[in-house]
Amino acid sequence: MISNELMSKLQKAVARELQVSIQYMWQHVLAKGIKAEPVSALLKQFAINEMLHAEKIAERISFYGGIPTTQPDPITIGKNLTEMLNLDKKAEEEAVALYKEIIKLAEKEEDYVTRKLFEQILEEEELHLDKFSSLLEE
């Protein structure tokens, strides 16, 4: 078993992964402007990646007897490409912070599988964060 605190953080992780998978997909569909085409393709790729994260986290919750939430965190699309990217950068910063907390807590609870899962997801989230940051610098 895992602590209620760790289970709660896993549920929060699923909620935010659902949020950004929807958010990025809708941004992919709605992005407009001269730079929208390459960014739109990236958003679609990231949306799919985030849904895969949600699935892996949900499987972990189920392993511990929990029922994964179906409620995403609040979805914010943005009115233009720059606003979208700023929202996405913020979402990735929040994910990185949360996942570092989960890694520390999983280590403390000797849940090495959860720790390893979130180390892998964290690596991908940091790549997303770096890409959004780079796009905002252009």
Side-chain angles (χ1 to χ4, degrees):
M1 280 311 292
I2 58 172
S3 68
N4 289 337
E5 181 183 7
L6 183 53
M7 180 60 81
S8 176
K9 288 184 185 297
L10 294 179
Q11 293 285 8
K12 176 66 176 167
V14 167
R16 73 147 311 280
E17 292 291 346
L18 292 172
Q19 170 220 337
V20 293
S21 66
I22 296 166
Q23 182 170 310
Y24 298 170
M25 189 59 70
W26 282 185
Q27 290 171 341
H28 152 72
V29 169
L30 298 172
K32 304 274 187 257
I34 196 161
K35 296 182 179 180
E37 190 173 328
V39 174
S40 178
L42 184 73
L43 288 166
K44 181 179 179 179
Q45 175 189 347
F46 284 2
I48 294 166
N49 187 245
E50 301 290 9
M51 185 53 71
L52 291 171
H53 293 168
E55 176 188 27
K56 290 175 185 174
I57 298 165
E59 288 170 348
R60 199 75 191 135
I61 291 168
S62 178
F63 173 79
Y64 281 115
I67 298 172
T69 185
T70 59
Q71 295 300 311
D73 277 356
I75 298 162
T76 49
I77 305 299
K79 294 181 181 90
N80 58 56
L81 201 54
T82 300
E83 188 177 326
M84 289 176 183
L85 291 171
N86 276 309
L87 289 166
D88 299 344
K89 179 182 175 193
K90 182 178 183 244
E92 294 296 337
E93 289 169 342
E94 292 168 356
V96 165
L98 174 62
Y99 296 172
K100 286 180 179 180
E101 290 176 20
I102 291 172
I103 290 165
K104 286 179 190 173
L105 190 55
E107 175 73 26
K108 179 181 169 191
E109 295 187 21
E110 298 183 358
D111 181 357
Y112 303 113
V113 174
T114 299
R115 184 197 70 202
K116 182 179 177 182
L117 171 63
F118 276 88
E119 287 171 345
Q120 293 166 345
I121 293 173
L122 176 62
E123 183 177 356
E124 293 177 9
E125 300 295 359
E126 286 180 344
L127 290 172
H128 296 173
L129 176 57
D130 183 57
K131 189 61 178 178
F132 289 140
S133 297
S134 294
L135 286 167
L136 285 164
E137 290 174 8
E138 292 179 3

